Amino acid sequence: MSLKQRLIEHIREAGPMTVADFMGAALYDTEDGYYATRPAIGGASADFLTAPEASQMFGELIGLWCAHEWSALGKPAFNLIELGPGRGVLMQDMLRATQRIDGFHEAANVVFVEVSTPLRDEQAERVPNADWAPRLEDAPPGPSLIVANEFLDCFPIRQFVRGEGGWREKLVGIADGGALTFGLSNALPAPDDEGSKPGMVREIAPALEGFMYEIERRLHAASSRALFIDYGYVAPEGADTLQALKSHKKVDPLEAPGEADLTAHVDFARLTRLARDANLDVGGPITQGHFLRALGTDYRADTLAKANPSHAQRLGRELRRLTHADEMGALFKAICLSSPNLPPPAGF
Ligand code: SAH
């Protein structure tokens, strides 16, 4: 039975499900979920293109950022942890860029946190000496530099819609003809907060709280930093950000669960609040454009173009893609969470 048919049966028996439960099944079902079966990142046949897939400069700068922050930690033996490494391109570029940094590779224990078996195989091809952990909780203790690009946007979201009579939760149910359809719960006993207008959508990612608990535990247990880069907002606009992508095109999220990548924008204000409440230091959020420029991406593009003039045009396009406000430069944000009492991280 297809995942879609199983979800329809489940809803028939148990009633409509939250968007988070639907998203969780579509992404993480161990038999038919997107990550178990067909994650397709990078290249023309892919579903979506991420920054490390778009340009080697992204990983090179993040690698040098890590080397700098390793110095700030006092150059200890440490875990270089990447969450959701995709095809392993980011780590491959990071490691290449840091090859000549004295002691860095010897000190780093590379750990990938990855749910997807097909992606784990691709990661092993690019970074053969890495270790894998199914969850961050399973990564070894000790000082760590954690990086995650387009990881938090996978966290399933619940959605709430403001109607004339208050807030309702968006649910996935079954239409008359038997197809999956979005619907709304009865009105919720939720306060009608100031500034909310009919039609507005609010989103929460319940799994973010549990995940942040583990980040906080780690960052308080040993001097560490966690760098997250993702698309998202600081002030919610009240928009519906659930998005399904297949072959670089937006598709109906309910059409074929498990066959398209499903994501939502990250709530950076919530992330900041959770980190501050746990007494972590917070750098940013700032835009990806600002962050990469502060790390010297213009200079890097220039150096690469001078070494290889025939690549100058392509490098210019990549630089624009990573940093320009009309491309990834403004929608994507960087945030760095740190153990207390460390110097401010580079770039923020
Ligand atoms: N960072 C990569 C890939 C981003 S796609 C890049 O920038 O190209 C999201 C990645 O997170 C995939 O590798 C996916 O399999 C992984 N992932 C999603 N949810 C996860 C979870 N809960 N635990 C571990 N890995 C997860």
Side-chain angles (χ1 to χ4, degrees):
M1 205 191 293
S2 71
L3 176 58
K4 186 173 188 175
Q5 203 50 44
R6 280 196 281 135
L7 290 171
I8 289 173
E9 296 293 319
H10 176 78
I11 293 170
R12 283 219 166 91
E13 282 161 19
M17 65 203 296
T18 64
V19 173
D21 285 344
F22 174 80
M23 202 175 159
L27 289 179
Y28 301 113
D29 184 84
T30 48
E31 270 165 44
D32 301 314
Y34 181 73
Y35 288 124
T37 55
R38 69 193 86 216
I41 312 165
S45 62
D47 294 323
F48 57 100
L49 186 74
T50 60
E53 298 282 348
S55 172
Q56 67 180 78
M57 292 186 283
F58 185 81
E60 290 169 348
L61 291 167
I62 305 289
L64 295 171
W65 182 88
C66 283
H68 182 270
E69 301 318 322
W70 171 64
S71 295
L73 298 182
K75 303 195 175 177
F78 75 109
N79 300 307
L80 180 54
I81 302 176
E82 186 179 356
L83 309 174
R87 299 199 309 153
V89 173
L90 173 59
M91 186 60 77
Q92 189 181 33
D93 291 342
M94 288 168 62
L95 292 175
R96 191 186 55 252
T98 50
Q99 241 160 13
R100 291 202 207 106
I101 298 199
D102 205 20
F104 183 76
H105 280 209
E106 293 70 26
N109 173 38
V110 177
V111 181
F112 284 147
V113 176
E114 177 57 69
V115 279
S116 168
T117 311
L119 285 177
R120 225 175 295 159
D121 294 342
E122 288 208 46
Q123 291 154 19
E125 274 173 36
R126 291 197 173 77
V127 188
N129 55 357
D131 287 328
W132 280 263
R135 297 171 316 156
L136 182 57
E137 287 87 323
D138 307 309
S144 303
L145 292 173
I146 303 170
V147 297
N149 185 62
E150 293 209 30
F151 173 72
L152 297 174
D153 60 65
C154 305
F155 282 34
I157 50 152
R158 291 175 68 180
Q159 294 186 309
F160 299 89
V161 182
R162 166 84 151 73
E164 290 298 342
W167 290 95
R168 291 164 190 268
E169 178 156 16
K170 201 175 206 184
L171 298 172
V172 179
I174 303 169
D176 286 344
L180 290 175
T181 184
F182 285 117
L184 292 173
S185 73
N186 293 328
L188 299 169
D192 200 11
D193 54 328
E194 225 177 285
S196 76
K197 290 201 277 296
M200 269 189 174
V201 178
R202 288 272 155 80
E203 300 177 333
I204 59 166
L208 183 68
E209 325 277 313
F211 171 74
M212 278 299 291
Y213 185 78
E214 174 57 17
I215 289 283
E216 291 154 19
R217 200 190 58 73
R218 260 181 185 275
L219 268 55
H220 282 299
S223 268
S224 303
R225 294 200 199 281
L227 173 70
F228 297 98
I229 302 179
D230 223 307
Y231 42 91
Y233 49 86
V234 178
E237 287 165 16
D240 178 341
T241 76
L242 181 71
Q243 166 175 288
L245 279 185
K246 198 174 171 181
S247 307
H248 298 283
K249 287 205 186 71
K250 284 193 188 182
V251 295
D252 174 358
L254 302 183
E255 182 55 39
E259 291 179 24
D261 184 45
L262 269 185
T263 63
H265 286 200
V266 174
D267 182 347
F268 281 97
R270 174 109 198 106
L271 192 65
T272 303
R273 220 171 315 124
L274 289 170
R276 289 234 168 89
D277 288 351
N279 292 319
L280 297 177
D281 284 347
V282 181
I286 56 175
T287 66
Q288 174 170 305
H290 272 104
F291 181 58
L292 294 179
R293 285 230 159 78
L295 299 185
T297 192
D298 296 295
Y299 179 76
R300 180 74 190 136
D302 222 38
T303 311
L304 286 171
K306 281 199 181 111
N308 243 318
S310 64
H311 295 174
Q313 269 199 336
R314 175 177 56 80
L315 289 160
R317 277 198 305 276
E318 291 177 8
L319 179 65
R320 185 184 149 88
R321 171 141 201 154
L322 293 179
T323 58
H324 198 278
D326 291 344
E327 305 223 20
M328 300 177 112
L331 174 62
F332 283 73
K333 317 276 187 303
I335 189 169
C336 178
L337 313 182
S338 303
S339 309
N341 305 319
L342 290 174
F348 288 91

